Amino acid sequence: MIYLDAAATTLEKPSQVARAMAEAVQTMSSPGRGRYPASRCAEETTFRCRNEAAELFGVPSPEQVIITSNATHGLNIAMHSLVKPGSRVIISGYEHNSVLRPLHAVPGVELVIIDAPLFDREEMTRQWKQALRQGADAAVCVHVSNVFGYVLPIKEIADLCRCHGVPLVVDASQSAGVLPLSLRELGAAFIAMPGHKGLYGPQGTGLLLCGTDTEPLLRGGTGSASRSREMPEELPDRLEAGTHNMPGIAGLLEGIRFVRRCGTEQIAHHEQMLVRRAAEKLRKMDGVRLWYDETGSSQSGVLSFAVEGLDCEEVGEALAEKGVAVRAGLHCAPLAHQTVGTQEKGTIRLSPSVFTSGGQIDSFCRCLQGIIRDSARF
Amino acid sequence: MDVLLLMAGSITHAQRMAAMLENRGLRASIARAPAGVDPRGCGYGVKIRRAYGTQALDVLRHAGIKVRGIYQHDGEAWREVEL
């Protein structure tokens, strides 16, 4: 199989991820539950995971690294902490449903959507500046669009939010492990990310980096402050109720170590090179429409395209039959499609990982060419 | 007793304290807080030798790591002390 759906989940993982998970099942209970070896082993693994993440993402202390079950979980905590009924919230026009749905659930939220054109970072920054002038209770912005691979000007947006005293939540679902990302440098209130994409950890893991006060989303046992009916004030316990996913954390730790060994710059370079290679071939095919930043400056390792006269889902299915895994449709991000004008038909998205080769991209292109050719016969 | 218990807010906080002290060559071990020390229950702290108390607190203060309380066993019970 040629797996080109890393933007959903990186299926191929470093071998040490599965090994660490299998070992954790047999040897670890949960952190902070006792001084016996299984709990201590869980504590040490969790602490290492927080530390590795803190170093990779410029977090001042490991307590500020919250282990979540995915980016959606982290985003929900972040928005629950900042957004109240009637809040004014600014978001980009490229947000995922993991942002839209939690905001929609809060009564009376005034949503300001920055719908600047694709790959136009200047216009995006200008519109954020304008919207922030009127103030806001919170801002939420995706770092990289999960549909188009568009790298938003997050540093500029973060600077503007800081200047206006507006807490910023960054959705780093597509950038964590691929692009430089620092809580300290951005001065963001929260950065949420999955463990199972660019960090090469298992599904069911994620991280929330906290730069401000928090409000728990879940309440329950933490192995600490047990007499209190309130959740502890201290992070990470405040946001981590219940038994930890130790196999997941052990796997995530190995994933993060792998990313740090490879280097995010190398990973980004590899994925962008593959996307460029795909784009060069796709643009030569009849009827293929690409959403690609020709300058390369705001394009990450995610690429959307469509084939004239063919339904995206049918192309996705035809590719699957030929052993190529891509994602077609709206990618849980109807707002991004609406911003770009692809909400009616959707797109087909390919997203390689560090394990994808140039040869696999070429094979995918040959498969697609075959599908287009076959469709022309009918 | 020649042991001090430096109280932490969470197991992660205790781990950070212990790691910082160990990095500076000061032996430190994580311990569950004995009954009565942490009124909130199920607390964590770091045990160090009394002789290193001032030095340990300096290291933690310098690193910006807060200590929630300092306890020493007086033969009967753990009691809060000041250094």
Side-chain angles (χ1 to χ4, degrees):
Chain A
M1 179 179 58
I2 299 171
Y3 188 79
L4 297 175
D5 199 16
T9 295
T10 47
L11 187 63
E12 295 141 304
K13 312 282 186 190
S15 57
Q16 55 270 34
V17 170
R19 273 204 303 275
M21 292 179 74
E23 197 183 321
V25 170
Q26 308 247 339
T27 58
M28 297 180 202
S29 58
S30 196
R33 267 55 176 181
R35 301 317 297 149
Y36 54 88
S39 182
R40 290 176 69 157
C41 189
E43 279 166 21
E44 281 159 25
T45 301
T46 308
F47 188 60
R48 284 194 198 111
C49 187
R50 293 189 210 280
N51 265 325
E52 291 274 352
E55 285 173 25
L56 180 58
F57 298 116
V59 184
S61 93
E63 286 104 314
Q64 293 168 262
V65 177
I66 307 304
I67 294 168
T68 60
S69 44
N70 45 47
T72 300
H73 180 197
L75 287 165
N76 270 267
I77 294 172
M79 288 183 275
H80 181 64
S81 299
L82 298 173
V83 180
K84 308 295 170 210
S87 288
R88 175 182 154 91
V89 184
I90 306 175
I91 65 171
S92 86
Y94 295 88
E95 301 307 315
H96 191 271
N97 273 345
S98 56
V99 169
L100 286 183
R101 285 178 173 168
L103 288 175
H104 180 73
V106 185
V109 163
E110 182 194 346
L111 213 53
V112 180
I113 300 172
I114 308 293
D115 62 349
L118 188 63
F119 302 128
D120 191 342
R121 291 164 61 99
E122 240 174 68
E123 177 60 16
M124 171 72 76
T125 308
R126 195 192 66 74
Q127 287 195 25
W128 270 92
K129 197 173 189 174
Q130 196 173 23
L132 282 162
R133 273 198 202 113
Q134 292 158 55
D137 298 295
V140 187
C141 190
V142 68
H143 190 179
V144 172
S145 161
N146 71 307
V147 181
F148 300 101
Y150 170 26
V151 183
L152 277 75
I154 201 70
K155 179 76 174 72
E156 290 82 350
I157 292 166
D159 287 347
L160 287 168
C161 286
R162 219 172 32 247
C163 283
H164 288 83
V166 175
L168 171 67
V169 179
V170 178
D171 174 2
S173 292
Q174 300 300 331
S175 60
V178 180
L179 295 177
L181 186 65
S182 165
L183 182 74
R184 196 183 281 115
E185 281 177 25
L186 289 179
F190 295 98
I191 300 179
M193 62 188 71
H196 64 280
K197 300 186 195 229
L199 295 180
Y200 293 91
Q203 294 93 323
T205 61
L207 298 173
L208 177 67
L209 316 179
C210 299
T212 194
D213 293 342
T214 62
E215 185 59 34
L217 189 64
L218 286 177
R219 290 175 167 81
T222 56
S224 60
S226 298
R227 285 199 186 93
S228 173
R229 299 275 172 101
E230 302 291 331
M231 285 297 282
E233 288 296 320
E234 297 88 353
L235 293 176
D237 295 19
R238 184 166 178 74
L239 300 178
E240 291 183 2
T243 297
H244 290 74
N245 169 12
M246 283 318 303
I249 294 168
L252 178 59
L253 168 61
E254 292 305 326
I256 296 172
R257 283 175 167 162
F258 168 78
V259 166
R260 294 189 74 195
R261 274 197 304 276
C262 291
T264 49
E265 256 179 51
Q266 290 296 319
I267 294 172
H269 180 262
H270 178 72
E271 292 180 3
Q272 284 162 355
M273 179 272 289
L274 293 173
V275 159
R276 192 165 55 245
R277 187 169 177 147
E280 279 164 12
K281 289 179 184 294
L282 289 173
R283 74 158 65 91
K284 290 176 188 159
M285 294 182 197
D286 285 342
V288 171
R289 178 163 182 207
L290 273 184
W291 286 267
Y292 179 66
D293 177 21
E294 297 296 339
T295 70
S297 61
S298 53
Q299 179 84 51
S300 76
V302 174
L303 179 67
S304 254
F305 68 94
V307 183
E308 200 183 316
L310 292 182
D311 183 90
C312 286
E313 297 288 1
E314 284 172 7
V315 174
E317 259 186 57
L319 283 166
E321 279 169 20
K322 290 175 182 285
V324 180
V326 294
R327 175 95 180 260
L330 296 179
H331 313 92
C332 297
L335 180 61
H337 282 284
Q338 190 183 316
T339 301
V340 176
T342 51
Q343 72 272 28
E344 291 302 319
K345 294 180 175 174
T347 61
I348 305 147
R349 177 187 75 184
L350 68 95
S351 51
S353 79
V354 75
F355 293 106
T356 310
S357 68
Q360 288 180 311
I361 294 292
D362 295 346
S363 298
F364 149 73
C365 290
R366 279 195 297 276
C367 288
L368 182 67
Q369 185 71 78
I371 291 164
I372 295 170
R373 201 174 42 239
D374 290 349
S375 73
R377 291 186 190 145
F378 299 101
Chain B
M1 295 280 285
D2 64 349
V3 173
L4 290 177
L5 178 64
L6 309 182
M7 285 301 296
S10 66
I11 179 64
T12 313
H13 183 190
Q15 286 175 298
R16 192 153 71 101
M17 284 167 61
M20 179 58 65
L21 295 173
E22 292 278 347
N23 274 346
R24 301 298 167 90
L26 301 173
R27 288 284 304 276
S29 60
I30 294 170
R32 296 273 287 187
V37 165
D38 188 341
R40 304 185 310 165
C42 299
Y44 274 85
V46 170
K47 283 184 177 172
I48 57 164
R49 288 191 59 185
R50 174 75 178 79
Y52 304 144
T54 310
Q55 193 184 347
L57 288 173
D58 282 345
V59 165
L60 295 174
R61 197 174 300 123
H62 194 70
I65 302 175
K66 284 183 186 161
V67 176
R68 287 179 62 95
I70 308 162
Y71 290 80
Q72 187 174 9
H73 203 279
D74 65 4
E76 284 184 3
W78 288 90
R79 305 206 190 274
E80 192 158 14
V81 294
E82 282 187 16
L83 289 189

